[in-house]
Structure formats: structure tokens, C-alpha cells
Amino acid sequence: MSPTRTSPRATHAWASNCGPRHRWPDEDCSSTSTACSASAAPRLDHAAGPALTPDLLDAALDAQGSRVEDGDLVLVHTGWAQWYLTTDPATRAETRQSRRATGFAQSRDFAAWCWDHRIALMATDTFAVEVLPVLPDSDFLHSAPEDAGMMHQELIAKLGLPLGELWNLTALAADCRATGRWDSLLTVKPLHLTGGVGSPANATALR
């Protein structure tokens, strides 16, 4: 594909403009007892691959005393990456084979949350941001039949929202909890690939 016909939203366009540089609010949803609710509920059961809802984001923000501003890059720490890296080999193999991972439910409510908060990026420490396997009652079964109702194309193509997957946020979330500070300056520098639709994030949080 020639550069003249390449989407202005491809990774080379981001790289040419130095990538997103914004204030970053971190949301810790790894334990409802510490970040997402006042109840003493257990940590997320990542072996089961739970589906998360936008209500969890709002509860985390309230518990942390944080708010999302226009143009923010939102990072969501669920603990999935750390769980996957530290669980036993048999569980990792079974998780890969079943393509099961914690993530946000395929819902218009989640897309609306991202749109209404006018965020510039959504990144999580999960495999795909959205829950896998896709929920049988996904709101996007008819608009994304080739992807079994995944919401990637709804978020990326239709909302223009970049997604960050498999970001290891463990140390960052721990520092946030230790300092009580949940925002920072986050830079994301994608590779300069003409027409690219994905790239290593090359993300750095400055605190």
C-alpha cells in the first residue's frame, strides 16, 4: 500500500507525531476490597476469566479519589499479567489452549464509557482488554460476526481508540498504592511502520 493511501490513524502517523503524551490515571481493579468497592471481596479469579464492567472502573476511580480528564490515557490494572506469569505451567498451558482471559465484557456500555470520558487510549494488563472467550450475549454479534462479536473493531476502527494489551502494570500499581498517587505523565511511542495496525507500546510512565 502506498503512503498516499494509508490511513492517517496507522502507526507511522502516530510515530511521526511522537505518539500520545498525556496525563495518565491508573485504575487498580485487581481487588474489590482495595480499589473497586468497600466490601472485603476476594481478588479476581483469573483462572475463571471474569468479565468486567464499566461500573468497576467508576468504583475504582471513586475509591482512589481519581477522575478521568479529556484526552487521558487510562491504564487498568487487574492483576491478570502477574497471575499468568506466576501461575503453574499446566494452568498457563490450559489458559492458552482455551483462549480464556479476564477482560471487559463486550458491551455498548463499555464503548459508551470510553467515548463519554473522551479518553485517548485504554490499556490493561490483560490479554485482549476485552474478556475471552467472547460472551455469548455480546452486543456486537451482528456488527462483528467475523470476530464472533469482539469489540476491537468497535473501539479501534469506529471510536478511533487505541488499545494497549498485556501491559505489565504490577510494579506501577504497587507504587501508586504506596504513594496514594494515581496519575502521571505517560508517553507511548509506536514503531514507524507505514500502514501498521499494531506496535510494541514503548510506553514509559514518569512519576
Side-chain angles (χ1 to χ4, degrees):
M1 182 181 292
S2 66
T4 57
R5 298 185 58 189
T6 299
S7 170
R9 288 176 291 277
T11 57
H12 74 279
W14 293 359
S16 297
N17 290 283
C18 300
R21 302 176 305 282
H22 291 276
R23 193 187 76 95
W24 143 75
D26 179 69
E27 300 190 45
D28 186 0
C29 295
S30 61
S31 170
T32 54
S33 63
T34 60
C36 302
S37 128
S39 65
R43 291 184 178 274
L44 295 173
D45 181 8
H46 293 300
L52 311 179
T53 66
D55 292 342
L56 199 64
L57 296 174
D58 291 330
L61 288 168
D62 288 344
Q64 294 164 189
S66 303
R67 65 187 180 91
V68 176
E69 299 178 4
D70 290 1
D72 273 351
L73 313 181
V74 175
L75 308 187
V76 180
H77 173 251
T78 70
W80 187 88
Q82 181 68 9
W83 169 82
Y84 184 82
L85 291 172
T86 57
T87 194
D88 61 89
T91 300
R92 283 199 299 272
E94 193 277 331
T95 299
R96 288 196 304 271
Q97 184 175 7
S98 62
R99 296 189 75 247
R100 184 177 62 253
T102 299
F104 287 97
Q106 289 83 17
S107 70
R108 290 188 175 85
D109 287 343
F110 179 74
W113 191 97
C114 296
W115 177 262
D116 291 345
H117 285 81
R118 302 173 63 87
I119 63 175
L121 175 144
M122 168 67 74
T124 77
D125 59 348
T126 65
F127 188 79
V129 178
E130 56 187 298
V131 68
L132 294 175
V134 175
L135 298 179
D137 60 349
S138 165
D139 285 344
F140 309 112
L141 289 173
H142 298 295
S143 60
E146 68 280 6
D147 291 325
M150 288 188 73
M151 60 181 174
H152 263 52
Q153 62 179 298
E154 307 292 331
L155 300 176
I156 299 173
K158 295 181 180 179
L159 296 189
L161 178 66
L163 300 178
E165 304 167 343
L166 295 171
W167 288 26
N168 193 339
L169 303 174
T170 304
L172 194 54
D175 188 68
C176 288
R177 286 193 292 269
T179 62
R181 180 182 174 188
W182 296 92
D183 63 357
S184 186
L185 173 68
L186 177 69
T187 66
V188 181
K189 176 65 173 178
L191 298 178
H192 196 294
L193 300 173
T194 301
V197 296
S199 167
N202 297 314
T204 302
L206 304 176
R207 293 173 56 76

